[in-house]
Amino acid sequence: KLTRRALYVDNGINIKNIDQALAGLHAKTSSRFTIFTLGRITSQKDPQLFNEIAKKFPNINFVWIGDGKLRKVLTSPNIMVTGWLGVEDALKLAMNYNAFLLTSEWEGLPMALLEAMYLKKPCIVSNVIGNNNVITNNVNGFLCDNISDYSRVINKLVNKGASNDLLNNAHNDIIQHYNSTVMAKNYAAIYRKALNQK
């Protein structure tokens, strides 16, 4: 059971590994706006909604980096499923795309979202716990409650792009908070405090 003695430390990504994986590479964006997601194709990620969004935008490419038992749900002809890739290969693909989409019905603290934020990709995510712990709407990304919200945001990004402020806010959130170095320091501080009390 949780008590007043319970403590909480946010998860984080290893940004040093990302920098090493992408060192010397430059984004090669295609002429067609491309939206990607990354993860297992399971009910948690709501591939049905992802598919419905793709159907509304036949002139946009959608890429699902990953695989899963609900792959057959992704029927829209503008969706490409890559299958499972190693972390480095997935990151190298992601850096070439225009925006990140996460339609999850629930989340913990999604690593793919944190990686996309670090890569300065505009993030369009479902307004659920986990996502909305990280994303503040129109500040460092976009929270969506329904398909109309997703459509409005995607249209805005295609026509106007994302502001540099929004992309920099997301990137800086990862550097300052959601990374493995900060996470380790926070854990270390908890252990030091406990040891000093003894």
Side-chain angles (χ1 to χ4, degrees):
K1 291 181 179 180
L2 291 176
T3 71
R4 62 185 176 81
R5 293 174 59 82
L7 299 168
Y8 173 77
V9 176
D10 277 317
N11 211 340
I13 56 173
N14 190 321
I15 58 179
K16 201 174 285 186
N17 286 352
I18 294 175
D19 289 340
Q20 287 173 353
L22 302 180
L25 298 177
H26 301 284
K28 301 172 185 175
T29 52
S30 78
S31 55
R32 287 183 79 180
F33 196 89
T34 302
I35 295 174
F36 78 100
T37 195
L38 193 155
R40 295 170 296 125
I41 310 174
T42 60
S43 57
Q44 179 201 353
K45 304 296 183 183
D46 202 347
Q48 291 91 344
L49 178 56
F50 188 93
N51 194 65
E52 288 304 309
I53 295 168
K55 282 181 179 178
K56 283 185 168 289
F57 294 94
N59 295 323
I60 291 178
N61 291 332
F62 288 78
V63 178
W64 195 303
I65 301 172
D67 211 334
K69 61 183 180 181
L70 293 183
R71 181 175 182 155
K72 62 183 181 294
V73 169
L74 300 173
T75 59
S76 188
N78 55 336
I79 296 176
M80 179 182 79
V81 179
T82 66
W84 290 117
L85 299 174
V87 175
E88 286 191 15
D89 289 333
L91 288 169
K92 287 173 184 176
L93 267 187
M95 72 178 292
N96 296 322
Y97 301 142
N98 301 96
F100 174 77
L101 175 64
L102 192 61
T103 53
S104 307
E105 293 187 3
W106 71 91
E107 280 293 350
L109 189 61
M111 297 293 105
L113 170 58
L114 302 183
E115 289 164 350
M117 291 169 68
Y118 185 66
L119 294 177
K120 291 190 176 182
K121 303 300 177 182
C123 296
I124 315 158
V125 303
S126 53
N127 188 10
V128 297
I129 291 172
N131 291 342
N132 58 26
N133 291 125
V134 177
I135 296 295
T136 301
N137 197 34
N138 292 309
V139 174
N140 62 354
F142 304 97
L143 294 172
C144 299
D145 291 305
N146 50 54
I147 197 162
S148 296
D149 288 348
Y150 288 105
S151 297
R152 177 179 46 77
V153 171
I154 290 170
N155 276 319
K156 176 182 176 182
L157 291 176
V158 170
N159 294 320
K160 297 182 179 179
S163 71
N164 286 330
D165 283 347
L166 182 139
L167 300 178
N168 288 330
N169 287 341
H171 183 78
N172 290 335
D173 282 346
I174 303 304
I175 291 174
Q176 294 169 12
H177 189 74
Y178 296 104
N179 69 75
S180 54
T181 301
V182 172
M183 181 176 69
K185 286 179 180 176
N186 289 339
Y187 275 116
I190 291 169
Y191 280 101
R192 287 193 193 98
K193 185 177 178 181
L195 289 168
N196 289 337
Q197 286 174 349
K198 289 192 173 187

